[in-house]
Amino acid sequence: MKGAPECMRISGFMHRVNNPELTKRLNEHAPKTMEKMMITTTAFIREEAAAAGKKKGHTSWRTQDQSKRHGSER
């Protein structure tokens, strides 16, 4: 939607979201700018990815990286 007013771009994005939880979050705290909307969306995606990783028993890359460093310091 190049050239469209920011409110139209926000509305267009929100109407295309097909995840009910993200839709609910965006509607509860309606973003006033594209930047705030993308921050909210990115945070939601990261939370979902972290939850999915925990379900599968994966550790985050940060935890793995830290354990490697502590092992090499010994």
Side-chain angles (χ1 to χ4, degrees), residues 13-73:
F13 179 88
M14 290 176 66
H15 282 91
R16 288 181 183 91
V17 170
N18 62 4
N19 182 301
E21 293 174 37
L22 178 55
T23 300
K24 181 180 176 185
R25 184 176 296 186
L26 290 171
N27 283 319
E28 285 175 348
H29 305 286
K32 304 288 185 214
T33 65
M34 285 294 293
E35 181 181 4
K36 289 193 185 241
M37 183 178 62
M38 295 313 297
I39 289 169
T40 300
T41 302
T42 302
F44 176 83
I45 292 169
R46 287 184 178 151
E47 291 168 14
E48 290 291 303
K54 286 181 183 178
K55 275 186 181 177
K56 293 181 181 180
H58 296 290
T59 57
S60 76
W61 64 270
R62 287 183 180 167
T63 304
Q64 292 171 356
D65 187 51
Q66 287 173 353
S67 65
K68 287 179 186 176
R69 268 194 246 141
H70 290 298
S72 64
E73 292 173 358

